[in-house]
Amino acid sequence: MSRENVMTPAGTAAAEPICLVAPDGTRRHHEPFDAAVADVSDDAVADLYADMVAARRIDTEATALQRQGELALWPPLLGQEAAQVGSARALRQDDFVFTSYRENAVAYCRGVKLEEMLTVWRGNASSGWDPFSVNMATPQIIIGAQTLHATGYAMGIKFDGGDQAAVAYFGDGAVTQGDVNEALAFAASYQAPAVFFCQNNQWAISEPVGLQSRVPIAQRAEGFGMEHVRIDGNDVLASLAATRIALDRARAGDGPTFIEAVTYRMGPHTTADDPTRYRSKDEVEEWSGKDPLKRIEAYLQTRGMAVDGFREAAEHRADEVAEALRAGVTGMADPEWEQVFENVYAEDHAWLRRQREQYGRYLELVEGEGQ
């Protein structure tokens, strides 16, 4: 479905974040964003809510698993559920997604097996899943590097004459990286069918966004001649609408779009972080009032839906997801040592075989000393 372009043209100052559902649940109107979600029924909004509840439950369970020693580390997404679920549900299955390490809700929506989300954090494998089984690359740890992968993939789509799109997710801290700026330059130059989805969660670990970006992040896209938009990242409908519009532009050959989703990381950067050392209680309390789940509950209540009913159903489903996640993780078999050499290269070669043999002899020596 073709939709009118509502992105901020290059050369125009970035607008205030677009919001369709206010923190108190009030529906706000913004044409043609409204048109982009006109087909989304109340039941469909309740499904988006259920996805967000499940994502938050995955986050809670994974954090508990890390604290219980089952995982080495975990990067929570608490507070960013709307940005991720809304955008992910706008995608077609044949689009390809490139993310950092915090897009667990995107992975959930793409159909990644629950335990595969945690394999790498448990140390059982170098990566998590087969990217081509769900059209989503495994998480990129190097900050911003996945934007280059997305641009390259999008250029390939264009050269092949496809109508798919490539989507790159990254945080506010990544926009200062050279990789991201190179990716934006190439995508704009080649008018690649790419969507750059920046989750501005206000903190790059302990560095506030205002320190590294003196203008709204979306405004940086102007320098690349790229369409851009700022949305309320805690509003799942705004996230869905903006991504749909950006994808339509990409499929129509109108080039890349930069989306800045203004949101907030309610938890730590990772389970190794202590955010109380660099941000105030007042700030956290202020953002808790913009909770993406509570606002959809409030919105659906204004639509006459029984809140207790759909909340109970969503929480029941989330509990089942969490139970399956825990069972999958704790039931993982320890990998054989040879697996560390697998999937490093497409084909085996002499240098890799030599390393494998040397490592095997080293383990035999160590195990012998321990006996």
Side-chain angles (χ1 to χ4, degrees), residues 23-42:
D24 64 358
T26 304
R27 182 71 164 87
R28 294 181 179 175
H29 295 284
H30 187 288
E31 287 295 346
F33 264 58
D34 283 343
V37 291
D39 63 320
V40 181
S41 65
D42 291 343

PDB file of all heavy atoms in Angstrom, residues 23-42:
ATOM      1  N   PRO A  23       1.103   9.388  26.851  1.00  0.00           N
ATOM      2  CA  PRO A  23       1.370   8.577  28.050  1.00  0.00           C
ATOM      3  C   PRO A  23       0.134   8.259  28.873  1.00  0.00           C
ATOM      4  O   PRO A  23       0.078   7.225  29.549  1.00  0.00           O
ATOM      5  CB  PRO A  23       2.355   9.449  28.840  1.00  0.00           C
ATOM      6  CG  PRO A  23       3.093  10.205  27.785  1.00  0.00           C
ATOM      7  CD  PRO A  23       2.068  10.504  26.739  1.00  0.00           C
ATOM      8  N   ASP A  24      -0.899   9.110  28.828  1.00  0.00           N
ATOM      9  CA  ASP A  24      -2.120   8.826  29.599  1.00  0.00           C
ATOM     10  C   ASP A  24      -3.124   8.001  28.799  1.00  0.00           C
ATOM     11  O   ASP A  24      -4.253   7.783  29.254  1.00  0.00           O
ATOM     12  CB  ASP A  24      -2.766  10.132  30.073  1.00  0.00           C
ATOM     13  CG  ASP A  24      -3.259  11.008  28.927  1.00  0.00           C
ATOM     14  OD1 ASP A  24      -3.060  10.625  27.746  1.00  0.00           O
ATOM     15  OD2 ASP A  24      -3.832  12.085  29.204  1.00  0.00           O
ATOM     16  N   GLY A  25      -2.730   7.543  27.600  1.00  0.00           N
ATOM     17  CA  GLY A  25      -3.615   6.713  26.789  1.00  0.00           C
ATOM     18  C   GLY A  25      -4.480   7.482  25.817  1.00  0.00           C
ATOM     19  O   GLY A  25      -5.232   6.879  25.048  1.00  0.00           O
ATOM     20  N   THR A  26      -4.379   8.791  25.825  1.00  0.00           N
ATOM     21  CA  THR A  26      -5.180   9.608  24.917  1.00  0.00           C
ATOM     22  C   THR A  26      -4.690   9.438  23.484  1.00  0.00           C
ATOM     23  O   THR A  26      -3.488   9.475  23.224  1.00  0.00           O
ATOM     24  CB  THR A  26      -5.087  11.099  25.305  1.00  0.00           C
ATOM     25  OG1 THR A  26      -5.497  11.246  26.662  1.00  0.00           O
ATOM     26  CG2 THR A  26      -5.968  11.941  24.394  1.00  0.00           C
ATOM     27  N   ARG A  27      -5.618   9.240  22.560  1.00  0.00           N
ATOM     28  CA  ARG A  27      -5.252   9.109  21.152  1.00  0.00           C
ATOM     29  C   ARG A  27      -5.000  10.484  20.567  1.00  0.00           C
ATOM     30  O   ARG A  27      -5.832  11.388  20.668  1.00  0.00           O
ATOM     31  CB  ARG A  27      -6.374   8.413  20.384  1.00  0.00           C
ATOM     32  CG  ARG A  27      -6.099   8.175  18.903  1.00  0.00           C
ATOM     33  CD  ARG A  27      -5.044   7.107  18.683  1.00  0.00           C
ATOM     34  NE  ARG A  27      -5.048   6.629  17.303  1.00  0.00           N
ATOM     35  CZ  ARG A  27      -4.357   7.191  16.301  1.00  0.00           C
ATOM     36  NH1 ARG A  27      -3.606   8.261  16.546  1.00  0.00           N
ATOM     37  NH2 ARG A  27      -4.445   6.693  15.087  1.00  0.00           N
ATOM     38  N   ARG A  28      -3.835  10.638  19.981  1.00  0.00           N
ATOM     39  CA  ARG A  28      -3.514  11.875  19.284  1.00  0.00           C
ATOM     40  C   ARG A  28      -3.543  11.610  17.789  1.00  0.00           C
ATOM     41  O   ARG A  28      -3.328  10.484  17.351  1.00  0.00           O
ATOM     42  CB  ARG A  28      -2.131  12.389  19.709  1.00  0.00           C
ATOM     43  CG  ARG A  28      -2.075  12.831  21.175  1.00  0.00           C
ATOM     44  CD  ARG A  28      -0.709  13.349  21.543  1.00  0.00           C
ATOM     45  NE  ARG A  28      -0.644  13.791  22.931  1.00  0.00           N
ATOM     46  CZ  ARG A  28       0.470  14.194  23.529  1.00  0.00           C
ATOM     47  NH1 ARG A  28       1.622  14.181  22.851  1.00  0.00           N
ATOM     48  NH2 ARG A  28       0.449  14.583  24.789  1.00  0.00           N
ATOM     49  N   HIS A  29      -3.766  12.647  17.017  1.00  0.00           N
ATOM     50  CA  HIS A  29      -3.908  12.455  15.579  1.00  0.00           C
ATOM     51  C   HIS A  29      -2.824  13.206  14.823  1.00  0.00           C
ATOM     52  O   HIS A  29      -2.465  14.346  15.164  1.00  0.00           O
ATOM     53  CB  HIS A  29      -5.301  12.910  15.125  1.00  0.00           C
ATOM     54  CG  HIS A  29      -6.391  12.053  15.713  1.00  0.00           C
ATOM     55  ND1 HIS A  29      -6.674  10.780  15.241  1.00  0.00           N
ATOM     56  CD2 HIS A  29      -7.224  12.266  16.772  1.00  0.00           C
ATOM     57  CE1 HIS A  29      -7.645  10.247  15.969  1.00  0.00           C
ATOM     58  NE2 HIS A  29      -7.995  11.125  16.904  1.00  0.00           N
ATOM     59  N   HIS A  30      -2.317  12.526  13.829  1.00  0.00           N
ATOM     60  CA  HIS A  30      -1.274  13.114  13.003  1.00  0.00           C
ATOM     61  C   HIS A  30      -1.376  12.490  11.622  1.00  0.00           C
ATOM     62  O   HIS A  30      -0.923  11.376  11.390  1.00  0.00           O
ATOM     63  CB  HIS A  30       0.107  12.847  13.623  1.00  0.00           C
ATOM     64  CG  HIS A  30       1.224  13.557  12.920  1.00  0.00           C
ATOM     65  ND1 HIS A  30       1.678  13.195  11.670  1.00  0.00           N
ATOM     66  CD2 HIS A  30       1.967  14.622  13.304  1.00  0.00           C
ATOM     67  CE1 HIS A  30       2.656  14.004  11.309  1.00  0.00           C
ATOM     68  NE2 HIS A  30       2.859  14.878  12.282  1.00  0.00           N
ATOM     69  N   GLU A  31      -2.003  13.205  10.737  1.00  0.00           N
ATOM     70  CA  GLU A  31      -2.087  12.712   9.354  1.00  0.00           C
ATOM     71  C   GLU A  31      -0.782  13.025   8.645  1.00  0.00           C
ATOM     72  O   GLU A  31      -0.222  14.108   8.849  1.00  0.00           O
ATOM     73  CB  GLU A  31      -3.267  13.377   8.625  1.00  0.00           C
ATOM     74  CG  GLU A  31      -4.618  12.866   9.081  1.00  0.00           C
ATOM     75  CD  GLU A  31      -4.849  11.398   8.742  1.00  0.00           C
ATOM     76  OE1 GLU A  31      -4.071  10.849   7.926  1.00  0.00           O
ATOM     77  OE2 GLU A  31      -5.780  10.812   9.286  1.00  0.00           O
ATOM     78  N   PRO A  32      -0.300  12.083   7.798  1.00  0.00           N
ATOM     79  CA  PRO A  32      -0.874  10.783   7.461  1.00  0.00           C
ATOM     80  C   PRO A  32      -0.338   9.614   8.288  1.00  0.00           C
ATOM     81  O   PRO A  32      -0.483   8.467   7.864  1.00  0.00           O
ATOM     82  CB  PRO A  32      -0.507  10.635   6.000  1.00  0.00           C
ATOM     83  CG  PRO A  32       0.776  11.342   5.871  1.00  0.00           C
ATOM     84  CD  PRO A  32       0.775  12.465   6.880  1.00  0.00           C
ATOM     85  N   PHE A  33       0.250   9.871   9.445  1.00  0.00           N
ATOM     86  CA  PHE A  33       0.610   8.738  10.317  1.00  0.00           C
ATOM     87  C   PHE A  33      -0.633   7.933  10.680  1.00  0.00           C
ATOM     88  O   PHE A  33      -0.590   6.710  10.770  1.00  0.00           O
ATOM     89  CB  PHE A  33       1.303   9.246  11.590  1.00  0.00           C
ATOM     90  CG  PHE A  33       2.798   9.214  11.516  1.00  0.00           C
ATOM     91  CD1 PHE A  33       3.478   9.909  10.524  1.00  0.00           C
ATOM     92  CD2 PHE A  33       3.539   8.487  12.430  1.00  0.00           C
ATOM     93  CE1 PHE A  33       4.857   9.880  10.443  1.00  0.00           C
ATOM     94  CE2 PHE A  33       4.921   8.439  12.357  1.00  0.00           C
ATOM     95  CZ  PHE A  33       5.587   9.147  11.363  1.00  0.00           C
ATOM     96  N   ASP A  34      -1.741   8.658  10.892  1.00  0.00           N
ATOM     97  CA  ASP A  34      -2.984   7.951  11.203  1.00  0.00           C
ATOM     98  C   ASP A  34      -3.347   6.983  10.083  1.00  0.00           C
ATOM     99  O   ASP A  34      -3.781   5.850  10.326  1.00  0.00           O
ATOM    100  CB  ASP A  34      -4.124   8.957  11.396  1.00  0.00           C
ATOM    101  CG  ASP A  34      -4.068   9.642  12.749  1.00  0.00           C
ATOM    102  OD1 ASP A  34      -3.362   9.120  13.637  1.00  0.00           O
ATOM    103  OD2 ASP A  34      -4.698  10.701  12.906  1.00  0.00           O
ATOM    104  N   ALA A  35      -3.173   7.434   8.836  1.00  0.00           N
ATOM    105  CA  ALA A  35      -3.528   6.588   7.693  1.00  0.00           C
ATOM    106  C   ALA A  35      -2.673   5.331   7.644  1.00  0.00           C
ATOM    107  O   ALA A  35      -3.132   4.275   7.202  1.00  0.00           O
ATOM    108  CB  ALA A  35      -3.378   7.383   6.398  1.00  0.00           C
ATOM    109  N   ALA A  36      -1.447   5.454   8.110  1.00  0.00           N
ATOM    110  CA  ALA A  36      -0.527   4.309   8.069  1.00  0.00           C
ATOM    111  C   ALA A  36      -0.937   3.194   9.019  1.00  0.00           C
ATOM    112  O   ALA A  36      -0.500   2.053   8.866  1.00  0.00           O
ATOM    113  CB  ALA A  36       0.887   4.771   8.378  1.00  0.00           C
ATOM    114  N   VAL A  37      -1.745   3.527  10.023  1.00  0.00           N
ATOM    115  CA  VAL A  37      -2.195   2.505  10.983  1.00  0.00           C
ATOM    116  C   VAL A  37      -3.720   2.425  11.024  1.00  0.00           C
ATOM    117  O   VAL A  37      -4.293   1.922  11.988  1.00  0.00           O
ATOM    118  CB  VAL A  37      -1.629   2.771  12.398  1.00  0.00           C
ATOM    119  CG1 VAL A  37      -0.137   2.541  12.423  1.00  0.00           C
ATOM    120  CG2 VAL A  37      -1.967   4.184  12.861  1.00  0.00           C
ATOM    121  N   ALA A  38      -4.360   2.915   9.951  1.00  0.00           N
ATOM    122  CA  ALA A  38      -5.832   2.908   9.919  1.00  0.00           C
ATOM    123  C   ALA A  38      -6.389   1.492   9.941  1.00  0.00           C
ATOM    124  O   ALA A  38      -7.524   1.269  10.362  1.00  0.00           O
ATOM    125  CB  ALA A  38      -6.322   3.659   8.675  1.00  0.00           C
ATOM    126  N   ASP A  39      -5.609   0.523   9.467  1.00  0.00           N
ATOM    127  CA  ASP A  39      -6.087  -0.861   9.413  1.00  0.00           C
ATOM    128  C   ASP A  39      -5.844  -1.609  10.719  1.00  0.00           C
ATOM    129  O   ASP A  39      -6.210  -2.788  10.835  1.00  0.00           O
ATOM    130  CB  ASP A  39      -5.362  -1.610   8.288  1.00  0.00           C
ATOM    131  CG  ASP A  39      -3.866  -1.694   8.523  1.00  0.00           C
ATOM    132  OD1 ASP A  39      -3.281  -0.693   8.988  1.00  0.00           O
ATOM    133  OD2 ASP A  39      -3.278  -2.770   8.275  1.00  0.00           O
ATOM    134  N   VAL A  40      -5.233  -0.965  11.697  1.00  0.00           N
ATOM    135  CA  VAL A  40      -4.882  -1.634  12.948  1.00  0.00           C
ATOM    136  C   VAL A  40      -6.072  -1.560  13.908  1.00  0.00           C
ATOM    137  O   VAL A  40      -6.382  -0.505  14.469  1.00  0.00           O
ATOM    138  CB  VAL A  40      -3.622  -0.990  13.588  1.00  0.00           C
ATOM    139  CG1 VAL A  40      -3.254  -1.700  14.884  1.00  0.00           C
ATOM    140  CG2 VAL A  40      -2.458  -1.029  12.606  1.00  0.00           C
ATOM    141  N   SER A  41      -6.727  -2.682  14.084  1.00  0.00           N
ATOM    142  CA  SER A  41      -7.911  -2.738  14.950  1.00  0.00           C
ATOM    143  C   SER A  41      -7.502  -2.731  16.428  1.00  0.00           C
ATOM    144  O   SER A  41      -6.321  -2.886  16.762  1.00  0.00           O
ATOM    145  CB  SER A  41      -8.696  -4.011  14.650  1.00  0.00           C
ATOM    146  OG  SER A  41      -7.919  -5.146  15.008  1.00  0.00           O
ATOM    147  N   ASP A  42      -8.486  -2.601  17.278  1.00  0.00           N
ATOM    148  CA  ASP A  42      -8.206  -2.667  18.716  1.00  0.00           C
ATOM    149  C   ASP A  42      -7.624  -4.031  19.094  1.00  0.00           C
ATOM    150  O   ASP A  42      -6.736  -4.122  19.949  1.00  0.00           O
ATOM    151  CB  ASP A  42      -9.487  -2.410  19.514  1.00  0.00           C
ATOM    152  CG  ASP A  42      -9.959  -0.970  19.380  1.00  0.00           C
ATOM    153  OD1 ASP A  42      -9.155  -0.116  18.949  1.00  0.00           O
ATOM    154  OD2 ASP A  42     -11.138  -0.709  19.694  1.00  0.00           O
TER     155      ASP A  42
END
